[in-house]
């Protein structure tokens, strides 16, 4: 094993053995799981029935919408203007407008909503219903089925007609972006603290008499990236574990609740318009709805890009964090020098809402090209689809270039910085180091 | 055979010159004292030998060949600023540092076992460094410096921070390594360790070498030809005994015994002085006044600073 391998191994093992790693590994999925589970729990315990008015101009899909005790679809035949006018009085939560689209087999779906935005459950129920009907049409024509899959889009607007976005695409985009953002911060800071530790412990001079400073820096960056990847993989595995366990439990609870409801309904009215088994299945599927929605995304591209930007973003920032760690001598100086590195990272989160509003607009394109912001910004764009291949390729090439440039720069600062003790550094001082 | 030839090394930093055309030859199996005031350029030179930094001009030959990365495995370096990973286990850390010096894990294990036994540290193998006393950390530090049996051992202020017992331990181990064939560079400004340990020295001041050679030669060079004579008798009697070949520097009285410093002139020897004195006073002792390395150090530094 080469010396850099030894360094990677040490950085990896000492961190993985730490209690904080184990705690984070367990807490992470609980937090992430709760992001998925809490909405399901909330939607299940919600007392209020959600009522959606369906205006089906095609006349094909309307009858297919399933009703349960929590979500009711009412098909009406009035005009959209009329429906809007009466929206407030009639206690509907939303109006779904289904229009024929000329040229494709897919209908155009518009969901108007009041103050509260429609839940994921509403969105996925609509999507699944329409998709099922379309699949029925398509029969077993694989070309038509392929056309349907992942192409169905629900446009959401508030009742005033302004576009809103509550779709799973936004959620996935934000989620991927935030994950990269946190990963870069969390593990970038670990690289920086590792460098500060070596410098303040004074072990660094012992080590660089055996290996080159560059090897030490890269070994640290790569070792910590492996810790991050392992933690991330464990999170994914555990999150899915928790998510399915929790999904099953809440599903069962809902079924129990439904059964007791049903007995009561049968006793009072004697009317039963839906098959119990049907509902049970539907409830059990409530967690699967999200999975189904996720399937409609360009999933392979998302996973590939996520892995790339996840690592690329980390490597770029980790090199800079290592340079900061080498330059400063005390914790007190940390904030001052971290600022220029963290600003672009924070900026990418700031512009994220603008990107979601217009995923292919100039803001989105520019910020997904600049290496410092592209990991977060490009990941928000990708789930929306329609990002030209050349843009992805260029953005990736720029990120690789940015990473190489940042590493070369950081290495120069690092090799001088780690040997500077008890000296107050300034930016002009660091600029001098670059010329040594 | 010389293990290290430092040839015309110049190293500039942005604001100042750390080393200015420094050439030093370090003979094999010597204990070489690298001396100089703070900021003279000693650490810069050591870093160049360790290939931590590169010189702007000049070159360093190791066993007659220009320095290469693989030479780091033949060098053991204990910097003045030293430390260990506090949160890491002692044994694991020692293994890691030994492997970085090119030992296989197996060899490192065997050698560490030997050293840990020698320094009575076996029971601390699984402990974290932060749980160790300062003295024990210093022992570990020394072990990891010599674990790979370096041909060249560079110790920057090796005794600073060591308690007297550990300092002695380290000193003895250093001499043992030297006996086994290692060359030791000792950078220090503790002159008493120079007197007892070093065979050769180089004195650096303000980034220039101002003096170098074997300790024996340097002493000879700065010999003052002054003798201190302790005697019983009178001042006048003593002074009368001296003739033009000698010069009386000073006399003082301690517990009824007179002490006088006399310089030999015109090629007179110590025997001449003795034979001149014997008939006149009762002698107690007769010692040559040898300039200590510290005197030479201060003298040379002041000389170049003027």
């Amino acid at each position: 094993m080469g010396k850099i391998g030894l360094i990677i191994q040490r950085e990896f093992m000492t961190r993985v053995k730490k209690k904080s790693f184990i705690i984070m590994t367990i807490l992470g999925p609980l937090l992430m799981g709760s992001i998925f589970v809490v909405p399901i729990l909330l939607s299940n315990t919600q007392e209020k029935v959600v009522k959606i008015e369906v205006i089906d101009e095609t006349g094909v899909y309307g009858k297919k919408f399933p009703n349960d005790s929590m979500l009711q679809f009412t098909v009406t035949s009035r005009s959209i203007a009329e429906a809007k006018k009466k929206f407030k009085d009639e206690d509907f939560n939303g109006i779904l407008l289904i229009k024929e689209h000329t040229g494709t087999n897919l209908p155009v779906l518009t969901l108007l909503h009041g103050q509260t935005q429609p839940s994921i459950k509403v969105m996925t129920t609509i999507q699944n219903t329409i998709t099922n009907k379309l699949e029925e049409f398509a029969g077993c024509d694989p070309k038509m089925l392929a056309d349907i899959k992942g192409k169905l889009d629900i446009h959401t607007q508030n009742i005033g007609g302004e576009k809103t976005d509550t779709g799973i695409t936004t959620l996935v985009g934000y989620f991927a972006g935030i994950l990269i953002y946190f990963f870069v911060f969390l593990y970038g800071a670990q690289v920086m603290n590792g460098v500060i530790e070596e410098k303040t412990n004074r072990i660094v001079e012992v080590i660089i008499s055996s290996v080159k400073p560059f090897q030490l820096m890269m070994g640290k960056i790569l070792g910590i990236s492996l810790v991050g990847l392992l933690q991330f993989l464990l999170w994914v595995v555990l999150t899915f574990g928790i998510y399915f366990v929790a999904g099953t439990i809440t599903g069962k609870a809902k079924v129990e609740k439904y059964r007791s409801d049903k007995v009561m309904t049968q006793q009072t009215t004697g009317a039963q318009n839906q098959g119990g088994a049907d509902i049970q299945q539907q409830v059990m599927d409530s967690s699967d709805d999200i999975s189904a929605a996720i399937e409609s995304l360009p999933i392979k591209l998302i996973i590939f890009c996520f892995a790339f930007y996840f690592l690329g973003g980390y490597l770029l920032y980790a090199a800079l964090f290592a340079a900061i760690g080498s330059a400063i001598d005390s914790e007190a100086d940390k904030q001052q020098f971290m600022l220029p590195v963290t600003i672009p990272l924070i900026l990418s989160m700031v512009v994220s809402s603008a990107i979601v509003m217009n995923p292919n607009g100039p803001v989105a394109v520019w910020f997904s090209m600049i290496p410092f912001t592209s990991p977060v910004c490009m990941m928000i764009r990708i789930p929306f689809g329609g990002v030209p291949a050349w843009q992805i390729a260029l953005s990736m090439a720029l990120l690789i270039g940015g990473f190489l440039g940042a590493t070369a720069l950081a290495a120069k600062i690092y090799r001088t910085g780690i040997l500077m003790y008890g000296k107050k550094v300034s930016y002009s001082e660091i600029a001098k180091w670059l010329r040594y | 055979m010389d293990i290290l030839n430092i040839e015309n090394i110049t190293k500039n930093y942005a604001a100042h010159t750390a080393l200015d055309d420094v050439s030093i030859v370090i003979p094999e199996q010597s204990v070489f004292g690298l001396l100089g005031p703070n900021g003279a350029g000693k650490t810069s030179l050591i870093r160049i030998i360790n290939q931590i930094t590169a010189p702007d001009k000049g070159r360093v030959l190791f066993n007659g060949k220009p320095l290469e990365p693989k030479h780091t495995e033949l060098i053991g370096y204990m910097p003045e600023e030293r430390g260990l990973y506090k949160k890491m286990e002692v044994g694991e850390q020692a293994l890691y540092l030994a492997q970085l010096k090119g030992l296989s894990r197996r060899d490192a294990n065997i050698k560490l076992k030997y050293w840990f036994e020698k320094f009575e540290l076996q029971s601390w193998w699984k402990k974290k460094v932060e749980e160790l006393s300062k003295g024990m950390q210093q022992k570990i530090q020394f072990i990891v410096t010599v674990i790979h049996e370096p041909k060249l051992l560079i110790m920057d202020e090796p005794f600073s921070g060591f308690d007297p017992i550990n300092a002695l331990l380290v000193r003895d181990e250093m001499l043992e390594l030297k006996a086994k064939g290692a060359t030791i560079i000792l950078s220090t400004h503790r002159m008493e360790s120079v007197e007892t340990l070093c065979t050769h020295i180089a004195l650096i001041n303000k980034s220039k070498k101002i003096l170098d050679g074997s300790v024996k030669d340097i002493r000879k060079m700065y010999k003052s030809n002054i003798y201190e004579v302790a005697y019983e008798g009178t001042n006048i009697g003593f002074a009368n005994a001296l003739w033009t070949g000698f010069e009386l520097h000073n006399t003082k009285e301690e517990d009824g015994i007179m002490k006088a410093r006399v310089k030999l002139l015109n090629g007179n020897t110590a025997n001449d002085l003795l034979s001149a004195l014997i008939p006149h006073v009762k002698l107690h002792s007769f010692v040559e006044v040898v300039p200590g390395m510290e005197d030479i150090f201060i003298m040379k530094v002041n000389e170049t600073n003027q």
Side-chain angles (χ1 to χ4, degrees):
Chain A
M1 187 163 36
K3 286 180 181 173
I4 196 159
L6 278 169
I7 295 166
I8 292 173
Q9 191 188 26
R10 192 201 83 85
E11 298 294 338
F12 180 78
M13 291 309 292
T14 51
R15 281 181 175 76
V16 169
K17 278 193 209 156
K18 270 189 193 164
K19 278 195 200 88
S20 56
F21 178 81
I22 297 162
I23 292 168
M24 275 299 284
T25 304
I26 296 165
L27 278 183
L30 283 177
L31 285 173
M32 282 207 278
S34 62
I35 292 174
F36 287 108
V37 172
V38 167
I40 296 170
L41 282 174
L42 284 180
S43 73
N44 284 351
T45 52
Q46 204 175 31
E47 285 304 314
K48 236 178 124 198
V49 180
V50 176
K51 289 197 277 186
I52 305 285
E53 180 177 2
V54 180
I55 301 172
D56 183 8
E57 292 184 357
T58 64
V60 179
Y61 306 100
K63 283 174 224 137
K64 291 285 170 185
F65 284 100
N67 286 321
D68 65 35
S69 51
M70 287 297 139
L71 178 58
Q72 287 170 8
F73 291 94
T74 312
V75 184
T76 62
S77 53
R78 55 188 171 194
S79 77
I80 181 75
E82 203 178 334
K84 270 187 189 175
K85 230 180 270 172
K86 303 227 168 130
F87 184 72
K88 261 193 179 164
D89 309 327
E90 290 187 355
D91 200 28
F92 279 114
N93 298 79
I95 306 166
L96 175 67
L97 182 65
I98 308 174
K99 274 186 177 169
E100 199 82 58
H101 188 283
T102 44
T104 72
N105 298 317
L106 303 177
V108 178
L109 306 172
T110 311
L111 184 63
L112 298 156
H113 58 85
Q115 291 220 309
T116 37
Q117 300 191 340
S119 67
I120 290 172
K121 188 184 173 191
V122 173
M123 301 293 283
T124 50
T125 309
I126 294 168
Q127 193 148 17
N128 290 345
T129 309
I130 306 279
T131 309
N132 286 344
K133 185 68 194 165
L134 284 168
E135 279 169 358
E136 216 173 279
F137 281 142
C140 41
D141 182 348
K143 193 182 165 293
M144 273 180 82
L145 279 172
D147 276 350
I148 297 161
K149 204 165 172 60
K151 296 285 164 60
L152 198 61
D153 205 5
I154 305 172
H155 307 280
T156 52
Q157 294 175 356
N158 63 21
I159 201 76
E162 282 168 19
K163 193 183 167 219
T164 58
D165 214 319
T166 57
I168 196 86
T169 32
T170 315
L171 201 70
V172 169
Y174 267 130
F175 190 65
I178 287 172
L179 215 55
I180 288 176
Y181 174 82
F182 274 120
F183 185 80
V184 167
F185 251 125
L186 214 62
Y187 288 93
Q190 281 211 23
V191 170
M192 181 174 67
N193 290 333
V195 173
I196 293 174
E197 184 203 2
E198 278 168 356
K199 193 178 169 183
T200 52
N201 268 356
R202 302 287 197 253
I203 195 175
V204 67
E205 198 159 344
V206 175
I207 292 178
I208 57 169
S209 68
S210 307
V211 300
K212 287 194 183 313
F214 183 73
Q215 286 175 308
L216 179 60
M217 187 182 92
M218 278 321 286
K220 186 175 284 296
I221 290 174
L222 294 177
I224 292 174
S225 79
L226 291 180
V227 179
L229 284 178
L230 177 70
Q231 181 142 71
F232 182 69
L233 281 178
L234 286 173
W235 278 356
V236 170
V237 170
L238 287 174
T239 302
F240 273 100
I242 290 170
Y243 165 61
F244 280 118
V245 168
T248 317
I249 291 167
T250 54
K252 272 185 185 148
K254 184 79 190 285
V255 171
E256 289 308 315
K257 188 173 181 295
Y258 170 75
R259 278 194 183 136
S260 59
D261 281 358
K262 189 174 76 173
V263 173
M264 272 171 65
T265 331
Q266 277 172 341
Q267 278 167 351
T268 49
T269 65
Q272 176 58 32
N273 54 4
Q274 279 250 313
D278 217 26
I279 295 263
Q280 182 175 341
Q281 190 55 45
Q282 200 183 3
V283 173
M284 294 289 275
D285 284 351
S286 71
S287 57
D288 293 344
D289 286 348
I290 297 167
S291 325
I294 288 171
E295 269 170 34
S296 70
L297 298 167
I299 201 81
K300 276 182 195 152
L301 183 68
I302 289 177
I303 289 173
F304 171 72
C305 288
F306 182 76
F308 183 88
Y309 286 105
F310 190 73
L311 268 182
Y314 162 79
L315 289 174
L316 171 72
Y317 277 99
L320 296 175
F321 275 119
I324 298 172
S326 74
I328 61 180
D329 211 10
S330 65
E331 292 283 313
D333 294 340
K334 218 155 99 174
Q335 295 308 321
Q336 181 202 346
F337 286 98
M338 264 179 81
L339 200 65
V341 176
T342 50
I343 280 176
L345 202 52
I346 292 167
L347 190 67
S348 57
M349 286 313 291
V350 171
V351 297
S352 62
S353 57
I355 294 171
V356 166
M357 294 303 260
N358 192 359
N360 287 313
V363 173
V365 172
W366 279 105
F367 278 93
S368 60
M369 288 300 143
I370 302 165
F372 292 99
T373 53
S374 67
V376 171
C377 294
M378 191 55 113
M379 264 333 286
I380 296 174
R381 285 182 72 192
I382 299 264
F384 287 93
V387 182
W390 69 266
Q391 282 188 12
I392 297 180
L394 181 61
S395 161
M396 285 181 168
L398 285 173
L399 184 57
I400 291 172
F403 155 64
L404 293 176
T407 307
L409 197 77
K412 284 191 167 185
I413 295 173
Y414 180 86
R415 64 164 198 224
T416 310
I418 45 171
L419 294 173
M420 292 279 169
Y421 306 120
K423 203 170 169 189
K424 192 104 179 129
V425 287
S426 59
Y427 286 114
S428 60
E429 180 81 26
I430 292 174
K432 270 187 220 152
W433 298 352
L434 292 177
R435 277 178 276 128
Y436 280 175
Chain B
M1 181 68 192
D2 301 321
I3 190 161
L4 219 52
N5 290 68
I6 295 159
E7 296 178 349
N8 310 95
I9 293 283
T10 298
K11 176 76 182 172
N12 294 305
Y13 288 106
H16 72 289
T17 302
L19 293 166
D20 185 6
D21 197 27
V22 171
S23 298
I24 295 172
V25 174
I26 296 178
E28 202 165 4
Q29 237 182 321
S30 60
V31 178
F32 196 97
L34 194 57
L35 316 178
N38 290 325
K42 290 175 304 210
T43 304
S44 294
L45 183 60
I46 289 174
R47 283 180 181 164
I48 287 169
I49 299 170
N50 275 303
Q51 302 177 68
I52 291 170
T53 50
D56 297 332
K57 268 187 222 141
R59 61 174 188 167
V60 179
L61 302 181
F62 190 100
N63 275 338
K65 294 192 186 84
L67 270 185
E68 282 177 52
K70 65 167 192 196
H71 285 134
T72 57
E73 293 180 3
L74 302 173
I75 300 176
Y77 173 40
M78 189 157 85
E80 184 177 7
E81 301 280 5
R82 52 188 171 244
L84 298 163
Y85 290 109
K86 297 218 176 345
K87 304 268 177 207
M88 212 174 162
E89 282 174 16
V90 173
E92 202 49 50
Q93 174 147 215
L95 276 175
Y96 171 64
L97 292 171
Q99 281 175 282
L100 282 184
K101 277 292 181 190
L103 289 182
S104 72
R105 201 175 166 86
R106 211 177 129 262
D107 288 351
N109 242 320
I110 295 167
K111 290 198 168 121
L112 282 172
K113 220 178 145 199
Y114 164 79
W115 280 101
F116 271 58
E117 258 166 43
K118 191 167 189 178
F119 283 9
E120 291 168 359
L121 290 164
Q122 304 100 306
S123 58
W124 297 91
W125 184 271
K126 280 268 168 196
K127 293 276 195 305
K128 283 189 177 159
V129 169
E130 59 189 353
E131 295 171 54
L132 264 58
S133 73
K134 195 106 192 188
M136 278 189 269
Q137 289 187 27
Q138 290 164 350
K139 286 182 188 171
I140 308 273
Q141 195 92 51
F142 180 76
I143 293 173
V144 298
T145 309
V146 300
I147 188 72
H148 57 295
E149 290 164 9
K151 286 259 156 275
L152 178 65
L153 192 59
I154 303 173
M155 312 289 270
D156 198 350
E157 293 294 353
F159 306 113
S160 79
F162 276 64
D163 61 53
I165 294 167
N166 281 339
L168 208 63
L169 189 75
V170 165
R171 207 196 75 144
D172 291 346
E173 290 302 332
M174 272 165 54
L175 290 176
E176 205 178 311
L177 287 166
K178 187 203 159 199
K180 283 182 189 159
T183 307
I184 298 165
I185 297 178
L186 195 64
S187 166
T188 184
H189 30 247
R190 290 208 357 194
M191 288 305 150
E192 71 272 20
S193 52
V194 177
E195 303 274 1
T196 55
L197 283 172
C198 292
T199 57
H200 297 73
I201 62 146
L203 182 54
I204 297 176
N205 187 40
K206 293 191 168 170
S207 64
K208 283 195 172 74
K209 181 188 79 181
I210 53 175
L211 179 70
D212 69 339
S214 79
V215 170
K216 215 163 64 190
D217 292 346
I218 289 172
R219 279 240 178 87
K220 206 178 273 171
M221 204 154 66
Y222 287 88
K223 209 163 104 168
S224 56
N225 274 348
I226 293 174
Y227 288 80
E228 189 174 81
V229 188
Y231 62 94
E232 266 177 67
T234 61
N235 261 339
I236 300 158
F238 186 86
N240 285 343
L242 302 176
W243 32 286
T244 48
F246 308 105
E247 187 181 284
L248 180 58
H249 273 198
N250 57 39
T251 48
K252 57 187 175 186
E253 194 186 330
E254 269 174 30
D255 301 329
I257 308 261
M258 303 301 291
K259 281 188 177 172
R261 288 197 166 198
V262 181
K263 188 169 186 181
L264 310 180
L265 300 171
N266 310 332
N268 283 310
T269 63
N271 283 10
D272 296 334
L273 178 58
L274 271 177
S275 53
L277 289 173
I278 285 168
H280 300 278
V281 293
K282 188 179 170 195
L283 288 170
H284 274 248
S285 67
F286 185 83
V287 210
E288 185 177 8
V289 179
V290 184
M293 289 311 291
E294 187 156 4
D295 302 319
I296 298 171
F297 178 95
I298 292 167
M299 193 181 79
K300 284 300 283 189
V301 168
N302 284 339
E303 209 171 88
T304 47
N305 282 356
Q306 273 156 17

